[in-house]
Amino acid sequence: MAIQANALPPSLVSELQEMQRRITALERKPKLGSVNERLPYGSFQSPSLEGTQGTITHALGVINSTGLNQPVLILMVPFHLPQNSTGTAPLDVSVTVWIRDMVTGGKTAEFTLDKTSDFASPNNGFSRNLVYTWAHPQPIGFDDTNEWKGFAIEYRVNKRVTVGADSLTVGMGNPMLVTGVPDGTYFEEADNGNPRIDGGLTPVDGGPVEWQ
């Protein structure tokens, strides 16, 4: 005799619903090897960021994190300071940068890039990297019911300088590294993203420091 659905005890119905939710989440996850891998990327330009000087928020771009199933986001964004006409010193420009989770609205700490962020002479003007190791609030695993997720790289232009016909500020390129790692992989992980310039990664397991 067939069992009537309404004859099932509430506890079993709840368990079946939870199993269905987990199966749906597993089916939605990408196959092993399709995410969280470092992909080669070469950046040859970091043009001056667009946007009017002031309090307006602008976006460099959005990282599609739908397949990210790791609690820590590693991100490295190249930037450079425009130089004076003789190439001997950076111009007095400034932008403030942060990352926003588009699901929860959580943000990293803000970090301001200005003329003090440049390399010392004679290497002034070369690209440097703004590095984040963010223990982000975005849901992952079985807690993730989102069909799409993203992180927005946002900024505010504090100072611009006009040189000839050009309006210049800090130049910024596309991220050179975007990946995820398990919690507790690096000492630099932080809830505020721990933004820093050319920061290395120190493995908790005692392995060699990366990027330094």
Side-chain angles (χ1 to χ4, degrees):
M1 183 175 67
I3 299 177
Q4 298 295 321
N6 57 11
L8 296 175
S11 60
L12 181 55
V13 172
S14 296
E15 290 180 10
L16 290 173
Q17 291 174 339
E18 176 62 16
M19 289 178 62
Q20 181 60 52
R21 185 182 73 83
R22 295 191 174 204
I23 291 172
T24 300
L26 286 172
E27 290 176 342
R28 194 168 60 241
K29 297 302 176 186
K31 294 181 180 179
L32 182 64
S34 63
V35 295
N36 302 338
E37 293 184 349
R38 298 185 181 186
L39 302 178
Y41 177 84
S43 178
F44 300 97
Q45 296 188 51
S46 52
S48 287
L49 291 170
E50 63 181 21
T52 304
Q53 176 178 313
T55 60
I56 301 173
T57 296
H58 306 277
L60 177 69
V62 172
I63 299 165
N64 185 338
S65 59
T66 306
L68 180 67
N69 196 29
Q70 298 287 359
V72 179
L73 175 70
I74 305 294
L75 178 64
M76 185 166 66
V77 186
F79 73 91
H80 88 283
L81 276 298
Q83 304 294 298
N84 61 16
S85 59
T86 59
T88 56
L91 298 176
D92 186 17
V93 295
S94 170
V95 299
T96 298
V97 187
W98 64 92
I99 304 173
R100 177 174 58 87
D101 171 19
M102 300 177 71
V103 176
T104 67
K107 298 179 181 180
T108 65
E110 296 185 354
F111 193 92
T112 297
L113 300 170
D114 56 25
K115 61 183 180 180
T116 66
S117 305
D118 199 8
F119 279 117
S121 179
N123 296 318
N124 51 295
F126 282 93
S127 292
R128 305 191 75 176
N129 292 299
L130 179 59
V131 181
Y132 291 86
T133 42
W134 189 19
H136 63 81
Q138 206 169 80
I140 61 173
F142 292 123
D143 295 326
D144 179 13
T145 60
N146 297 280
E147 294 293 332
W148 187 91
K149 298 183 298 182
F151 293 107
I153 303 175
E154 298 180 328
Y155 65 91
R156 182 173 59 250
V157 178
N158 305 316
K159 291 182 180 180
R160 305 191 73 92
V161 171
T162 299
V163 179
D166 298 321
S167 178
L168 304 177
T169 188
V170 177
M172 187 167 286
N174 294 322
M176 296 180 63
L177 173 66
V178 183
T179 190
V181 297
D183 182 39
T185 301
Y186 299 107
F187 283 111
E188 291 78 12
E189 298 166 15
D191 291 339
N192 69 355
N194 190 17
R196 58 209 184 277
I197 296 175
D198 295 337
L201 293 175
T202 311
V204 174
D205 63 8
V209 176
E210 300 183 25
W211 300 348
Q212 283 194 171

